[in-house]
Amino acid sequence: MKTDQVLLRGRILSFTAEPKGPEDRTAYRYIEDGAILLGGGLIRATGSYDQLSRQAPAVPVVDHRPHLLMPGFIDTHIHYPQVQVIASWGAQLLDWLNSYTFPEETRFADPAHAEVMAEWLMGQLCAQGTTTAVAYASVHEASVEAFFSAAARRDMRMITGKVMMDRNAPEALRDTPQSGYDASKRLIARWHGKGRAGYAITPRFAITSSPEQLEMAGALVAEHPDCHVQTHLSENRDEIAYTLSLYPEAPDYLGVYERYGLLGPKTLLGHSIHLEPREIDLLAATGAKPVFCPTSNLFLGSGLFDDAGLRARGICNAVATDVGAGTSYSMLQTLNEAYKVLQLQGQKLHPLRAFHWITRGNAVALGLEDRIGTLEPGTEADIVVLDASATEPMALRMARAQTLSEELFVLQMLGDERAVAETYVSGVPQKRGAARVRQPEL
Ligand code: GUN
Ligand code: ZN
């Protein structure tokens, strides 16, 4: 018997395609008495418990029945230096950045502070069932070191990058086109592709980068085409007007990023709410991915993301928390608010598509569907165990639920970290571990 192997037993749900409708049974695989064989950090087999327990009779079994086992959740946009910014009152985007966010991010100049917050965040993400995140670090190189180091200690697949910003921000948060380029280059060499780490080239947004800096960011993209790129786009009307005043030659906001070679299938564009027709054409043509951040868009009063409109153009949208403008670390709560944002526009987010979105859908958006967001053999053993009756309101509603879709909708609307019974990262259970992580001393 291989000692690192383990068999997880429970109800198994994973998606093989995006569900085309609320009853599309061809898009997912559901096994009532199922099992997942884990070993060496990978999924070795997924099937019925009966079959797998006969195939691997000596392997220890962890019995998660009656819970639901799914691929770990993926958060495609979060700001790790904002864990003490979440729930800051009263402002829309630009004032919120200046009043709360930038002052807080200056604290990440201290590597010890960055380490404590990165470690805390990894524990928090695991508690929420999130096993991969795409995060903005701060402008400080050491903040990226701290984040990747904390992820490596848990063997988590994480993507981050040093924020590049050389203007319209406090002095302590500004780099220069050259220093931003050099630091990004060093971090890519040190971390990209090491273990499960991936680097995202991260010009914060057009307002905080000079044309010279965006040109250097474009050079990085050309030199490292296998890195992701992340920035913000058209979140708020004042932001758009300010951007166009800083880049008067640009045809529109997205035209700024286009001009500097920042757009391609690995580009993640946070928010993408108020778009012109030409910008939508350009998203479709380049394969860049809008990232829908519902709790943030409602919290900052930014606007309503047009999911159906973009999808109708063949554009692949990702979904994310955007903490600290986002108000929850939970991808379940993110789906809850996503449902309401779409309701306000007469659009529908049915539960099968919702759970596809935060697993395989976000993996597809990242180009990582062959490794995460799936329970296929040979992929990485990141798994969430969900309890749809975790709280009294959930249990009462579940007593009336008759279908898998109804159960998923209870999780989508009422679930949070209490509904996450366990989280496996690279085959190792984290949830009890997360509870043991000491709170930062503040
Ligand atoms: N645009 C530029 N920076 C940020 C940020 O930190 N949060 C949000 N929500 N939007 C941004
Ligand atoms: Zn953001």
Side-chain angles (χ1 to χ4, degrees):
M1 180 188 108
K2 271 227 199 123
T3 50
D4 75 336
Q5 289 201 341
V6 64
L7 196 60
L8 309 185
R9 184 175 189 179
R11 295 182 301 123
I12 312 277
L13 176 65
S14 64
F15 293 89
T16 50
E18 183 177 270
K20 292 194 180 61
E23 305 302 333
D24 181 4
R25 289 202 55 96
T26 65
Y28 66 90
R29 185 176 183 205
Y30 174 71
I31 309 171
E32 182 71 28
D33 187 6
I36 311 174
L37 180 64
L38 310 182
L42 299 177
I43 292 170
R44 300 294 175 184
T46 301
S48 73
Y49 175 73
D50 193 42
Q51 174 209 336
L52 289 194
S53 60
R54 268 189 277 117
Q55 193 179 310
V59 171
V61 176
V62 181
D63 194 347
H64 283 298
R65 289 177 301 167
H67 299 335
L68 194 58
L69 276 62
M70 291 185 60
F73 302 148
I74 301 168
D75 184 353
T76 52
H77 185 127
I78 185 169
H79 293 258
Y80 111 82
Q82 295 177 16
V83 297
Q84 292 182 285
V85 174
I86 188 171
S88 292
W89 185 84
Q92 293 211 344
L93 176 64
L94 298 178
D95 291 333
W96 175 86
L97 283 171
N98 287 320
S99 309
Y100 300 114
T101 307
F102 290 160
E104 183 62 29
E105 292 196 8
T106 61
R107 301 181 68 200
F108 285 71
D110 174 6
H113 179 73
E115 273 165 37
V116 170
M117 294 304 160
E119 183 59 37
W120 179 82
L121 182 62
M122 296 304 152
Q124 177 62 204
L125 292 175
C126 289
Q128 300 283 359
T130 298
T131 49
T132 288
V134 186
Y136 287 66
S138 71
V139 73
H140 314 97
E141 202 169 340
S143 72
V144 175
E145 288 287 332
F147 189 88
F148 276 138
S149 301
R153 283 194 286 278
R154 292 176 187 256
D155 198 20
M156 291 182 88
R157 179 163 289 287
M158 286 285 161
I159 298 170
T160 193
K162 179 206 113 65
V163 160
M164 303 168 79
M165 49 198 295
D166 68 344
R167 66 172 176 181
N168 295 321
E171 169 89 55
L173 284 186
R174 295 205 294 263
D175 55 10
T176 67
Q178 190 65 48
S179 73
Y181 172 90
D182 291 344
S184 302
K185 200 93 188 154
R186 278 192 296 273
L187 289 163
I188 292 168
R190 189 159 150 67
W191 286 104
H192 185 66
K194 180 175 170 189
R196 302 184 76 194
Y199 196 84
I201 297 160
T202 308
R204 183 178 206 122
F205 65 159
I207 290 175
T208 48
S209 284
S210 64
E212 296 72 29
Q213 176 157 73
L214 289 187
E215 198 163 326
M216 294 296 241
L220 283 171
V221 175
E223 289 157 15
H224 301 282
D226 53 331
C227 286
H228 283 91
V229 180
Q230 60 179 346
T231 188
H232 296 85
L233 174 72
S234 299
E235 178 174 2
N236 161 297
R237 301 256 181 224
D238 291 344
E239 172 210 13
I240 296 169
Y242 190 13
T243 301
L244 295 180
S245 76
L246 292 169
Y247 288 91
E249 318 278 272
D252 43 47
Y253 193 158
L254 193 58
V256 177
Y257 299 143
E258 176 189 23
R259 164 153 185 201
Y260 295 104
L262 297 175
L263 302 182
K266 297 192 83 105
T267 304
L268 302 166
L269 296 162
H271 308 295
S272 303
I273 298 172
H274 310 284
L275 300 175
E276 300 295 334
R278 196 199 81 92
E279 296 180 292
I280 297 173
D281 292 345
L282 191 54
L283 289 171
T286 58
K289 310 292 190 303
V291 184
F292 175 27
C293 305
T295 71
S296 166
N297 297 164
L298 295 176
F299 178 73
L300 290 179
S302 301
L304 304 178
F305 181 84
D306 182 10
D307 180 52
L310 295 171
R311 283 159 52 80
R313 296 295 313 279
I315 293 164
C316 170
N317 300 324
V319 62
T321 64
D322 190 32
V323 166
T327 53
S328 173
Y329 293 91
S330 167
M331 290 305 290
L332 300 173
Q333 278 306 297
T334 300
L335 289 179
N336 168 10
E337 300 293 292
Y339 179 83
K340 296 168 188 167
V341 167
L342 300 197
Q343 277 284 56
L344 282 167
Q345 301 171 92
Q347 302 178 17
K348 284 276 176 274
L349 178 57
H350 58 76
L352 288 181
R353 185 159 81 80
F355 279 85
H356 172 268
W357 208 356
I358 62 172
T359 56
R360 182 180 172 276
N362 273 346
V364 169
L366 297 176
L368 291 172
E369 69 273 23
D370 57 339
R371 298 189 209 177
I372 56 173
T374 167
L375 299 177
E376 291 300 308
T379 64
E380 298 169 356
D382 295 345
I383 292 157
V384 61
V385 182
L386 295 169
D387 176 4
S389 299
T391 64
E392 282 183 11
M394 293 176 84
L396 278 170
R397 176 62 185 86
M398 277 301 292
R400 287 280 175 275
Q402 294 185 342
T403 65
L404 176 64
S405 285
E406 278 183 276
E407 176 180 2
L408 291 176
F409 199 56
V410 171
L411 284 163
Q412 173 179 344
M413 301 312 291
L414 303 179
D416 55 28
E417 76 270 28
R418 292 168 295 178
V420 176
E422 187 53 276
T423 304
Y424 291 85
V425 170
S426 284
V428 177
Q430 304 286 326
K431 183 108 185 187
R432 272 194 257 132
R436 279 202 304 274
V437 171
R438 277 188 298 124
Q439 288 296 312
E441 282 172 27
L442 303 174

